[in-house]
């Protein structure tokens, strides 16, 4: 029992530490988690960590939270997952609580307000940069369905103001259909080759 | 009941922000700004800025912020819980199937189908922050004096730096913030 308590404590402190000092979200935290749980603690195998990463990235929600759930579950079952969720969620919860308590004062201070106004332009640039990179890949793929989906989704949300949830559900359904069709085609080709 | 509304709203945010990071942004905007009016677009832009500057996922950061603004600390806890519950269920279900079948093909297929749509949604949310920063709260107008030229210049410079040298976004944002603060406060352009 003492040993398992130690495991839970280690899980909690590791995820708390990773979450408190990782700027830049999910794509940064995963390599750090790998280092912690695969290299340092040797709790998870290299290949398994890669697969867990794939699951974390394919699931909805924050990648850091998803990865933490998987690691906690893998190491100590469902209670382990609860512990790692707590460890991952607490730092942002505490930090943002503090910021939001001083937000009113923050906003009414002319200097900080000017700082935030300047940063807004920077945030816009950061987001447009991400879109540029991701959208560029879609355009370069010359996959006409993807390009069409991208344009239609933009029109639907920006001009038609459709609820984002419906757009995502529709595109997910489209993804299922395309995957099934591709699977059939490949199977048909395999058959053709084997005959 | 406000707690249930927060919980339900952030469960949708948790469930439909697929692809991590910026993918959460359009869903948060749709729920928090457009549907429930818990934040103005301006406050939403502040949340994204703050979330970028602090550690932790954007979704959790905004859940905490919105929760506190709407219903205090219990609100923050409920919203964060809402954010995490869908992840928990889906990730563990997928992990179960992964250990059983070692095949995630369908999931990856769906994800691929979603990617272009996610790009478009992020673009739309980014554009609304850009428009807010250039035109203010009044929306698009091409009258010269309505355009915030400081923002235009900062945006252009930041995008150029990001494309050319790929520095950390935090550095770029802080740079814009400091330059903006000095220009707005020390020159007549701040008006």
């Amino acid at each position: 029992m003492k040993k398992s308590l130690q495991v839970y404590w280690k899980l909690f402190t590791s995820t708390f530490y990773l979450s408190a000092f990782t700027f830049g979200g999910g794509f940064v935290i995963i390599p750090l988690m790998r280092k912690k749980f695969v290299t340092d603690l040797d709790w998870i195998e290299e290949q398994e960590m890669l697969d867990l990463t794939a699951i974390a990235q394919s699931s909805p929600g924050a990648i850091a939270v998803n990865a933490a759930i998987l690691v906690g579950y893998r190491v100590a079952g469902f209670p382990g997952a609860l512990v790692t969720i707590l460890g991952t969620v607490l730092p942002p919860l505490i930090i943002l609580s503090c910021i939001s308590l001083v937000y009113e004062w923050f906003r009414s201070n002319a200097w900080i307000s000017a700082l935030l106004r300047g940063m807004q332009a920077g945030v816009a640039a950061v987001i447009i940069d991400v879109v540029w990179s991701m959208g560029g890949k879609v355009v370069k793929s010359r996959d006409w369905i993807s390009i069409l989906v991208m344009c239609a989704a933009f029109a639907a949300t920006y001009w038609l103001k459709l609820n984002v949830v419906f757009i995502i559900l529709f595109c997910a359904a489209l993804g299922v259909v395309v995957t099934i069709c591709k699977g059939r085609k490949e199977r048909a080709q395999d058959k053709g080759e084997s005959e | 009941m406000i707690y249930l509304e927060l919980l339900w709203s952030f469960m949708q945010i948790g469930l439909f922000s697929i692809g991590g990071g910026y993918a959460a942004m359009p869903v948060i905007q749709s729920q928090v700004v457009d549907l429930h009016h818990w934040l103005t677009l301006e406050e939403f832009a502040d949340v994204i800025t703050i979330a970028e500057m602090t550690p932790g996922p954007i979704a959790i950061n905004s859940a905490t912020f919105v929760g506190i603004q709407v219903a205090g600390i219990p609100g923050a806890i409920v919203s964060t819980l809402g954010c995490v519950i869908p992840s928990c269920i889906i990730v563990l279900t997928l992990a179960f199937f992964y250990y059983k079948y070692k095949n995630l093909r369908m999931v990856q297929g769906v994800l691929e189908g979603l990617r272009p749509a996610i790009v478009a949604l992020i673009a739309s949310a980014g554009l609304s922050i850009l428009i807010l920063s250039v035109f203010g709260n009044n929306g698009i107008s091409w009258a010269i004096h309505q355009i915030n030229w400081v923002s235009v210049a900062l945006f252009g410079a930041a995008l150029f730096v990001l494309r050319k040298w790929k520095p950390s976004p935090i550095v770029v944002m802080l740079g814009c913030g400091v330059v903006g603060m000095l220009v707005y406060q020390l020159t007549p352009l701040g008006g």
Side-chain angles (χ1 to χ4, degrees), chain A residues 16 19-20 86-98, chain B residues 54-57 60-61 64-65 80:
Chain A
F16 188 92
S19 177
L86 202 64
T88 308
V89 160
L90 272 184
L93 194 70
I94 295 169
I95 295 170
L96 260 285
S97 298
C98 297
Chain B
T54 52
I60 305 288
N61 284 337
T64 308
F65 189 91
T80 305

Side-chain angles (χ1 to χ4, degrees), chain A residues 121-137, chain B residues 22 119 122-123 126-127 130 155 158-169 172:
Chain A
V123 174
V126 168
I127 297 166
I128 300 298
D129 173 54
V130 169
V131 170
W132 190 331
S133 303
M134 289 172 76
K137 265 183 214 152
Chain B
Y22 296 99
V119 178
I122 299 174
L127 204 59
L130 177 63
F155 172 79
L159 192 60
F160 176 78
V161 169
L162 280 165
R163 296 305 304 175
K164 182 128 191 170
W165 291 290
K166 310 211 177 301
S168 151
V172 175

Side-chain angles (χ1 to χ4, degrees), chain A residues 19-27 47-48 51-52 54-67 69-70 73-74 78 81-82 85 88-89 91-101 103-104 106-107 110-112 114-135 138 145-147 149-151 153-154 157-158 161-165 167-169 171-176 179-180 182-183 186, chain B residues 12 14-22 25-27 30-31 35 42-43 45-46 48-50 52-57 59-62 64-65 68-69 73 76-77 80 84 87-88 90-92 94-95 98-99 102 104-124 126-133 140 148 151 154-155 158-159 162-163 169-170 172-174 176-178 180-182 184-186 189-191:
Chain A
S19 177
F21 293 102
T22 311
F23 293 81
F27 296 103
Q47 179 57 43
E48 199 178 352
D51 291 335
L52 293 183
I55 298 176
Q57 284 172 341
S58 333
S59 309
I63 292 179
V65 176
N66 293 348
I69 295 173
L70 288 168
Y73 183 73
R74 170 68 182 71
F78 193 66
L82 289 182
I85 290 175
T88 308
V89 160
L93 194 70
I94 295 169
I95 295 170
L96 260 285
S97 298
C98 297
I99 292 181
S100 106
L101 292 178
Y103 177 72
E104 294 299 326
F106 227 57
R107 249 301 174 190
W111 284 87
I112 293 182
L115 180 81
L116 280 174
R117 238 165 107 198
M119 277 166 67
Q120 240 173 43
V123 174
V126 168
I127 297 166
I128 300 298
D129 173 54
V130 169
V131 170
W132 190 331
S133 303
M134 289 172 76
V138 174
I145 298 178
S146 296
I147 295 173
V149 165
M150 189 165 76
C151 299
F154 184 83
T157 177
Y158 194 76
K161 309 249 176 257
L162 280 185
N163 190 330
V164 175
V165 167
I167 300 172
I168 290 175
L169 280 178
C171 294
L174 200 68
V176 172
T179 313
I180 291 175
K182 268 189 194 158
E186 275 164 27
Chain B
Q12 291 181 58
L15 187 58
F16 292 103
S17 54
I18 303 168
Y22 296 99
M25 207 174 54
V27 196
S30 144
Q31 284 289 329
L35 284 177
E42 182 129 42
E43 289 168 323
D46 283 349
I48 298 297
T49 311
I50 295 168
E52 285 273 316
M53 298 296 304
T54 52
I60 305 288
N61 284 337
S62 25
T64 308
F65 189 91
I68 286 202
Q69 299 290 321
I73 302 272
I77 293 172
T80 305
V84 172
S87 291
C88 209
I90 291 174
V91 164
L92 291 179
L94 280 181
Y98 161 73
Y99 283 115
K102 297 260 172 194
L104 293 169
R105 186 174 176 158
M106 185 49 107
V107 180
Q108 278 162 352
V110 172
L111 200 68
E112 243 157 68
L114 273 177
R115 199 161 294 140
I118 304 282
V119 178
L121 297 182
I122 299 174
S124 166
L127 204 59
S128 57
I129 291 185
L130 177 63
I131 288 172
L132 173 77
S133 128
I140 297 184
N148 181 341
S151 263
L154 284 173
F155 172 79
L159 192 60
L162 280 165
R163 296 305 304 175
I170 295 180
V172 175
M173 281 172 6
L174 265 185
C176 284
V178 171
M181 179 171 74
L182 295 176
Y184 287 129
Q185 287 297 93
L186 302 178
L189 286 165

Side-chain angles (χ1 to χ4, degrees), chain A residues 11-39 49 52-53 56-57 61-71 84-92, chain B residues 20-21 54-58 60-61:
Chain A
L11 275 174
F12 178 77
T13 49
S14 308
T15 46
F16 188 92
Y17 180 83
L18 284 175
S19 177
F21 293 102
T22 311
F23 293 81
F27 296 103
V28 185
I29 207 167
I30 290 217
L32 293 173
M33 267 189 176
R34 209 192 112 256
K35 185 176 176 307
K36 185 86 209 167
F37 292 105
V38 178
T39 317
M49 191 68 206
L52 293 183
T53 305
Q57 284 172 341
I63 292 179
V65 176
N66 293 348
I69 295 173
L70 288 168
V71 168
T84 48
I85 290 175
L86 202 64
T88 308
V89 160
L90 272 184
Chain B
T54 52
I58 291 183
I60 305 288
N61 284 337

